[in-house]
Each structure stands twice: as C-alpha cells, then as structure tokens.
Amino acid sequence: ELGMGSGAWVIGVSKGTELVAAVPLYHIEEEPNDAYHIQEVLGFSRPATHPLLVGNHRGYESGVVYNPDYPEALPLLIDAIRIETERVGTDVAWWPYLTEAAVILLHPHCPGLLGLLDISADYLLPAGDFSAFLLGLTRAQRGKIRRDRRLFEDSGLMVYRGVPEPFLPDIAHLVAEVESHHNNLMDPASLLPWLEAQLLVIGDQALAVVSRNHDNPVACALLYRSENQVVVRMAGLDYQRTGTAGEYFETTLYQGIEWALDQGIRQLSLGTGTLQAKSYRGARLSPRWALQVAGTPLVDHIGNNTRLDKICKRERVPSSSVESVLVNVG
C-alpha cells in the first residue's frame, strides 16, 4: 500500500458472475502527496475529515473501468461509492484526475462540484515511423526534437529497452529520487514489491526504458499499453547526473513514441508537469478534473476559467493551447 495509511480496497458491480464495473477506493489519513489534497488544490479549505479518494492514487490520470454494454452499472457504482463514503465516516468523496471522456460519462450521475485540477500532455501519433511523426509537427518543434536527440547521442549515454523485471532496481532507485525531490522521502527497497505487484497485473503490456552512463542509471521510464494508447506510468531521474543531454526527453518521450509506433498505437500519454517543454515538442494539452462524488456539493466561487489561467501561468503555456469542451462546466 506504500504509505496509504488506513486502507485501499476495490468495489465493483456485477451482473451474474460477470464483473461489469469496478473502481479502487482509498481512505488516507496522512496523504504525503499534496497533489491529492484535492480541495486545497481546487482552492477550498481543507475538509473536516479525510476524504475518500476514488480511482487512481498514483499518477495523474483516471478513468472509468466498466463494460459499455451495461451503462446501468455506472449509477450503481456511484451509489456504492456513496455508501462506502458513509461507512468510513467521512463527509466527502473525490474522483480526481479524470479525463474529459470520463467526466462526460460520470457527471450526469454526480451532481457535485466539477473542478479543474491540472493539465496533462499527450501525443496523437500517425501511422508510420518516427520520421512520419516529425512531419506532423511544426518546424520549431522538429528542431527541438532533433537537437535533443543529437545531444543524447553525443553524450555517450546508452539507452536500454526491454521487459521491466531486470531493470526494477534501477527504476526503484530513480523513482525514489523523484519522490524525494518532491518531498516524499521513499526507500527504493520499499518500492520493489509495489513495482512487482503492478507487473503481475500489467504483464507483457509493459516496457522499461533505462538510460545509463556506464554502470550508472541516470533516467528511466516505465511504460505500458492500455487499449489504444501507451501510458508513461512513471519516470525517474538522477538529478545529480542529468540535465545537459536531453536524458528525460529521450528516455520518456522519444523512446515512448518509438515503442507506440512499433506497436501501431496512435496515442502516447505523458501526464502532468513540464508542460511547456512537452508542448514545445508537439504534445497536445488537455485538462484533468476532480469530480465530487459524495458529500454536500461545494459552491464554486472560483471557477474553472480562473483555475485554467492559474495553471497555465504556472506552466508557462497559453490557455488557448489547452483543448477542452468542459472548462466552463461546474
């Protein structure tokens, strides 16, 4: 559970013996990640009790796992979340970091507040190879990518791609570096069983990418295929050894693009943060939302346009570059 405090569990809806909808729930007494203090991120005061969190807890993208042949499962799933909210004795449940497609499915069943949490980046990829991808970008974007790749090639660093298991110690070390950089101190050894448990589920859908300076790992990414996209599940960096050779971009973006193209997959999801750098390299920007699933609906005196402007100012990207149909909702 890795610091998840009092509990994490899964609820589901079944029809006969078939599971048709499911979602994980988390009730965290001491949440170490400020990005999961949802009400504070949205600009509200801290809730009186620890919120129930719905959906993903690691990473900043969440969606709905359900069988679309049974749309009636969604309101039943929402009802089950509300029951669990009451059972654990908290006064609010949040489903954070939802994609817009997920919000469109869920919002009719959840009349609570819909708030803009952050902005995520992804690539929509063409058929073909990396050269075909470059042709779809602007001249400035192509120039940045070619410069990054030349810097990496000239650095003498070596990049390794393969099944994740042999690289798990390197990944744990570098991810722990990133967590520590964000004030979440973590022992790499404690990450190993968590990574191993994920790989039991992901199986052959995962790829590890590690860049090395001789025997020293300096950057890594763990990627996995999910339906029609490749997702950057996590990235790690050695901050003392990186920064001059485009290590992050080569390891996470460009190797991810190449793997997705090799698989015939048309989308690479990069997640939140470093949006200006990703946008300069051709990534698309779109919102991630928090949906209040249970509790007395909050009255929003801030508004999502204001939140959008604040995030874009922080990330140094124009608000007009964010693709959204929902910013004025909520």
Side-chain angles (χ1 to χ4, degrees), residues 133-146 279-282:
F133 160 69
L134 288 176
L135 286 175
L137 305 180
T138 67
R139 182 176 181 180
Q141 291 164 346
R142 288 196 297 270
K144 284 190 176 294
I145 292 172
R146 286 170 174 151
S279 179
Y280 281 172
R281 290 158 176 82

Side-chain angles (χ1 to χ4, degrees), residues 36-102:
Y36 276 89
H37 294 171
I38 303 303
Q39 286 186 212
E40 292 95 313
V41 173
L42 292 176
F44 295 95
S45 58
R46 180 169 295 191
T49 57
H50 301 295
L52 186 69
L53 297 179
V54 183
N56 291 347
H57 182 263
R58 298 284 176 177
Y60 306 108
E61 181 162 331
S62 193
V64 186
V65 179
Y66 86 112
N67 185 333
D69 292 334
Y70 299 99
E72 66 272 18
L74 290 180
L76 294 174
L77 189 67
I78 297 299
D79 287 344
I81 294 169
R82 292 175 177 143
I83 291 169
E84 291 296 284
T85 305
E86 295 179 4
R87 184 182 68 81
V88 300
T90 189
D91 54 8
V92 65
W94 288 102
W95 198 326
Y97 297 101
L98 285 165
T99 63
E100 294 217 329

Side-chain angles (χ1 to χ4, degrees), residues 19-329:
L19 185 67
V20 295
V23 70
L25 304 176
Y26 305 89
H27 192 223
I28 316 298
E29 292 185 358
E30 298 297 334
E31 173 55 63
N33 187 344
D34 289 343
Y36 276 89
H37 294 171
I38 303 303
Q39 286 186 212
E40 292 95 313
V41 173
L42 292 176
F44 295 95
S45 58
R46 180 169 295 191
T49 57
H50 301 295
L52 186 69
L53 297 179
V54 183
N56 291 347
H57 182 263
R58 298 284 176 177
Y60 306 108
E61 181 162 331
S62 193
V64 186
V65 179
Y66 86 112
N67 185 333
D69 292 334
Y70 299 99
E72 66 272 18
L74 290 180
L76 294 174
L77 189 67
I78 297 299
D79 287 344
I81 294 169
R82 292 175 177 143
I83 291 169
E84 291 296 284
T85 305
E86 295 179 4
R87 184 182 68 81
V88 300
T90 189
D91 54 8
V92 65
W94 288 102
W95 198 326
Y97 297 101
L98 285 165
T99 63
E100 294 217 329
V103 170
I104 290 168
L105 281 173
L106 292 168
H107 199 224
H109 310 295
C110 304
L113 184 136
L114 176 65
L116 179 64
L117 274 182
D118 212 333
I119 298 167
S120 187
D122 69 356
Y123 284 111
L124 298 181
L125 302 172
D129 58 10
F130 202 88
S131 296
F133 160 69
L134 288 176
L135 286 175
L137 305 180
T138 67
R139 182 176 181 180
Q141 291 164 346
R142 288 196 297 270
K144 284 190 176 294
I145 292 172
R146 286 170 174 151
R147 178 179 178 273
D148 290 339
R149 304 208 84 175
R150 282 196 304 269
L151 283 172
F152 187 87
E153 183 177 355
D154 293 345
S155 72
L157 295 172
M158 298 296 294
V159 64
Y160 300 87
R161 275 173 38 176
V163 295
E165 283 79 3
F167 299 107
L168 288 186
D170 291 345
I171 294 171
H173 166 70
L174 294 169
V175 169
E177 288 277 329
V178 173
E179 293 290 331
S180 297
H181 187 72
H182 293 284
N183 300 314
N184 182 21
L185 297 179
M186 190 170 285
D187 178 7
S190 70
L191 278 169
L192 282 172
W194 177 60
L195 289 167
E196 290 166 352
Q198 288 196 53
L199 292 177
L200 285 175
V201 177
I202 299 172
D204 62 1
Q205 302 301 301
L207 178 80
V209 184
V210 177
S211 294
R212 290 178 175 274
N213 182 357
H214 301 294
D215 291 333
N216 299 308
V218 298
C220 74
L222 181 62
L223 317 175
Y224 69 92
R225 291 178 298 221
S226 176
E227 297 179 346
N228 61 346
Q229 66 175 333
V230 167
V231 177
V232 179
R233 179 65 184 89
M234 62 188 68
L237 292 170
D238 184 333
Y239 289 93
Q240 301 302 314
R241 300 175 185 270
T242 56
T244 60
E247 302 92 340
Y248 169 77
F249 298 115
E250 180 64 36
T251 307
T252 304
L253 274 66
Y254 308 143
Q255 292 294 323
I257 289 168
E258 289 191 348
W259 190 51
L261 292 171
D262 290 345
Q263 306 297 313
I265 293 174
R266 307 293 289 274
Q267 183 176 3
L268 174 69
S269 177
L270 302 172
T272 60
T274 59
L275 296 182
Q276 185 186 62
K278 294 169 182 173
S279 179
Y280 281 172
R281 290 158 176 82
R284 181 184 68 159
L285 306 181
S286 59
R288 295 296 177 264
W289 299 91
L291 181 59
Q292 186 184 356
V293 182
T296 302
L298 294 171
V299 178
D300 192 356
H301 296 294
I302 300 171
N304 289 319
N305 281 298
T306 299
R307 293 189 183 96
L308 177 65
D309 290 341
K310 181 178 178 180
I311 295 167
C312 289
K313 183 178 180 180
R314 180 192 76 203
E315 295 287 340
R316 296 179 294 170
V317 295
S319 57
S320 60
S321 67
V322 180
E323 300 181 17
S324 175
V325 296
L326 294 174
V327 166
N328 293 307
V329 176

